Amino acid sequence: MYFQIFACAGATVLFPLYGIITKKPFPPLLIWLICLHLFVSADIAAAMGGYYKYPWLDLLLHGYFGFLASVIIFCLLINWGGKNLQPFGFFIIIFAFAMGLAALWEVFEFIGDFLFNNTAQGVAPGFVWVEGEPSPLADTMEDIAVTALGVSAFYLFVFIDKLFGYKACKSLYNSFK
């Protein structure tokens, strides 16, 4: 638990550090949204038992992660010259990377459960699944599916933004100039 809290706190430094190295800082609002996600995930949900008090919190955080990861990847693609991609390819890359990050997170949970005797996947370590008991596979698949819904929410956001002249997307794009 302590490792997770310190790792999440340390991760908040990565995006400002990226901005310093590349001389193209991430938008401050995006950094705050990332910090909010890390704080709620590591401190409130995991360390303070929020997952047990609020069973819906896991799904909410995975959906939020899907949306947030999509925005981050959108920003990185803009920063790395992705504006030259075809729109379909642009959104395929966003989907693939967001889902890949979701899968990596599930691997992180599994390894944490195995090494540190945690229950991030919703079952006790060493648990052998039997009929009528919760399956760790069901938790993993549910988390990844909800991440896909978060990516879909990002696509809906971009579509609605398109109807209003891409104001939000242009704001993100201009923040990297």
Side-chain angles (χ1 to χ4, degrees):
M1 176 177 64
Y2 296 114
F3 172 75
Q4 185 177 4
I5 292 170
F6 290 119
C8 285
T12 61
V13 177
L14 294 177
F15 289 98
L17 184 62
Y18 173 83
I20 291 169
I21 291 170
T22 63
K23 308 273 190 279
K24 294 180 180 181
F26 261 71
L29 176 62
L30 186 55
I31 293 172
W32 280 105
L33 293 174
I34 294 166
C35 290
L36 173 69
H37 179 69
L38 291 172
F39 172 74
V40 172
S41 296
D43 296 340
I44 294 175
M48 295 180 181
Y51 286 135
Y52 298 105
K53 292 176 189 169
Y54 312 106
W56 47 265
L57 187 59
D58 184 45
L59 296 179
L60 177 73
L61 286 171
H62 279 280
Y64 179 73
F65 172 79
F67 184 85
L68 187 60
S70 298
V71 172
I72 293 167
I73 295 160
F74 177 85
C75 290
L76 290 173
L77 283 173
I78 288 171
N79 203 7
W80 295 337
K83 61 185 174 283
N84 298 326
L85 289 171
Q86 295 293 323
F88 184 74
F90 195 85
F91 289 108
I92 290 291
I93 290 171
I94 289 173
F95 181 79
F97 270 88
M99 296 307 291
L101 290 172
L104 286 174
W105 179 257
E106 292 302 315
V107 170
F108 172 76
E109 282 184 352
F110 176 80
I111 290 171
D113 286 356
F114 181 76
L115 293 178
F116 302 115
N117 207 25
N118 289 338
T119 58
Q121 302 222 291
V123 295
F127 177 82
V128 176
W129 184 68
V130 294
E131 193 65 38
E133 295 292 329
S135 166
L137 178 61
D139 175 70
T140 298
M141 293 299 101
E142 186 176 70
D143 291 347
I144 290 175
V146 170
T147 300
L149 289 176
V151 175
S152 299
F154 171 75
Y155 291 164
L156 180 63
F157 169 79
V158 171
F159 177 74
I160 292 169
D161 190 40
K162 177 183 179 181
L163 298 176
F164 291 97
Y166 288 114
K167 290 181 182 179
C169 290
K170 285 180 184 176
S171 175
L172 276 174
Y173 175 76
N174 290 331
S175 67
F176 285 103
K177 286 187 174 181

